[in-house]
Amino acid sequence: MRILRDPEHMEPCVLVLGMFDGVHRGHQALLMRGRERALALGVPLCVCTFEPHPLAVLRPEGQPPRLTTQTERARLMASYGVDVLCVRSFTRRLAKQPPEDFVADMVRRCHPRAVVSGFNYTFGDRGAGTCETLRALGDKYGYESITVPEVVLEGATVSSTRIRRLLEQGELHLATYLLGHAYTLAGRVEGGKHIGRTMGFPTANVRVPAHKALPAFGVYACYLTVDGRSLPAVVNVGRHPTLPEGKVTVEAYVLDQRINLYGKPVRLTFMSYRRPERSFESVEALRAQIRQDASDARAYFASLR
């Protein structure tokens, strides 16, 4: 997949519009419809999105944590058959474009044969442009407009907001189902206080991007991917109430492996929520619980074989 930043000229394509945070099942419906049309027309499938998130520019205090970084979003889109990812720089000037100017600029840059959008897609000054606007301007600017209806699962529309809320509540199983893939956190392993090591359970302190959505505080069974290898691990997300240090950390203990991870980029794939974070009366009680967490995680991974 090619990634183009603020392209001025692209070859004719089927163009899919959206932010695509999470690349969840609702987004996948857009990509599948776009892929179907691109194959029929014999042109590439292109996604046009924005960076940074519009709210980061227009209302920074209200911007939501992200389900995917730009790198993660691109990797997922490639897996769903996207040929070109067009990343437009979002600015206040762009936000103030009248909807028809937005469409005219999009056509000039991307030359879409068809434009695919979700039922609730908005664009242009104060979000005045909608899928109806795209449809009304299609004849004038020479593209076919396709609107994909909402995807409803478990009684509600699939959305990034809903998935964030589920992760915050520890509902990892349902969040994973709505995403259509496992949730991940990625970052570089940095030095910590080595408390886990002194307790017999050396952990890797993973520094994740500040804007990334964290799942509920607690203990998880995860795969830790490093150097092309995926290793079973127990991961704690939280503040360590028994040995408080104030800040939120993401710490991974790789099961039954002695491996030096310091300084390395790793990816954590969240498989199962095991228990909430809690405080223990003593370090020895905490050590016993970590031992039990490791045993439970081994049993979980064994059940997957």
Side-chain angles (χ1 to χ4, degrees), residues 164-183:
R164 288 188 201 100
R165 188 177 303 118
L166 289 169
L167 288 172
E168 291 170 0
Q169 296 169 346
E171 297 287 347
L172 181 65
H173 181 75
L174 182 53
T176 301
Y177 175 58
L178 300 186
L179 281 168
H181 50 80
Y183 190 63

Side-chain angles (χ1 to χ4, degrees), residues 193-268:
K193 295 186 175 181
H194 305 288
I195 294 173
R197 186 177 299 278
T198 63
M199 298 175 65
F201 300 93
T203 58
N205 185 16
V206 182
R207 182 177 183 178
V208 300
H211 62 272
K212 191 75 157 68
L214 293 178
F217 289 178
V219 175
Y220 297 81
C222 296
Y223 283 111
L224 182 148
T225 302
V226 61
D227 296 333
R229 303 169 62 198
S230 290
L231 308 170
V234 178
V235 173
N236 185 88
V237 179
R239 296 185 182 275
H240 300 281
T242 305
L243 301 167
E245 57 180 41
K247 66 178 183 178
V248 176
T249 60
V250 177
E251 295 192 72
Y253 168 58
V254 178
L255 295 171
D256 307 318
Q257 295 265 357
R258 292 288 181 178
I259 179 170
N260 183 10
L261 296 172
Y262 287 111
K264 292 189 175 183
V266 302
R267 185 171 72 250
L268 301 174

Side-chain angles (χ1 to χ4, degrees), residues 8-278:
E8 285 296 323
H9 180 80
M10 294 168 52
E11 60 185 312
C13 64
V14 168
L15 187 64
V16 187
L17 303 175
M19 277 305 300
F20 286 87
D21 187 25
V23 196
H24 55 61
R25 289 185 186 272
H27 299 142
Q28 291 161 35
L30 290 168
L31 298 179
M32 287 187 287
R33 184 69 181 94
R35 190 67 186 164
E36 176 185 87
R37 201 72 192 105
L39 289 172
L41 293 171
V43 296
L45 174 62
C46 175
V47 169
C48 184
T49 188
F50 297 107
E51 194 66 35
H53 192 288
L55 284 178
V57 175
L58 301 176
R59 194 159 49 88
E61 72 284 356
Q63 65 175 311
R66 303 289 287 275
L67 295 173
T68 45
T69 63
Q70 186 173 336
T71 299
E72 291 166 337
R73 189 171 47 169
R75 177 173 53 83
L76 286 165
M77 285 184 179
S79 73
Y80 289 112
V82 175
D83 298 305
V84 181
L85 174 58
C86 167
V87 182
R88 296 286 310 277
S89 298
F90 192 86
T91 63
R92 288 187 176 274
R93 181 178 179 182
L94 180 63
K96 291 181 178 179
Q97 268 192 324
E100 184 165 351
D101 289 357
F102 176 93
V103 170
D105 187 50
M106 174 189 74
V107 170
R108 178 184 65 81
R109 292 171 181 268
C110 303
H111 304 282
R113 297 279 300 280
V115 175
V116 181
S117 64
F119 70 101
N120 60 351
Y121 183 72
T122 60
F123 60 94
D125 189 18
R126 288 172 282 189
T130 65
C131 56
E132 286 78 16
T133 310
L134 287 171
R135 188 178 303 114
L137 293 172
D139 288 340
K140 179 176 180 178
Y141 288 99
Y143 63 81
E144 172 190 3
S145 179
I146 300 170
T147 302
V148 176
E150 62 183 331
V151 174
V152 176
L153 293 173
E154 300 296 317
T157 302
V158 178
S159 69
S160 302
T161 299
R162 183 184 175 195
I163 292 168
R164 288 188 201 100
R165 188 177 303 118
L166 289 169
L167 288 172
E168 291 170 0
Q169 296 169 346
E171 297 287 347
L172 181 65
H173 181 75
L174 182 53
T176 301
Y177 175 58
L178 300 186
L179 281 168
H181 50 80
Y183 190 63
T184 63
L185 294 175
R188 195 169 294 275
V189 176
E190 60 182 11
K193 295 186 175 181
H194 305 288
I195 294 173
R197 186 177 299 278
T198 63
M199 298 175 65
F201 300 93
T203 58
N205 185 16
V206 182
R207 182 177 183 178
V208 300
H211 62 272
K212 191 75 157 68
L214 293 178
F217 289 178
V219 175
Y220 297 81
C222 296
Y223 283 111
L224 182 148
T225 302
V226 61
D227 296 333
R229 303 169 62 198
S230 290
L231 308 170
V234 178
V235 173
N236 185 88
V237 179
R239 296 185 182 275
H240 300 281
T242 305
L243 301 167
E245 57 180 41
K247 66 178 183 178
V248 176
T249 60
V250 177
E251 295 192 72
Y253 168 58
V254 178
L255 295 171
D256 307 318
Q257 295 265 357
R258 292 288 181 178
I259 179 170
N260 183 10
L261 296 172
Y262 287 111
K264 292 189 175 183
V266 302
R267 185 171 72 250
L268 301 174
T269 301
F270 284 73
M271 302 297 294
S272 175
Y273 179 51
R274 309 310 295 173
R275 66 170 178 86
E277 184 178 55
R278 60 189 179 92

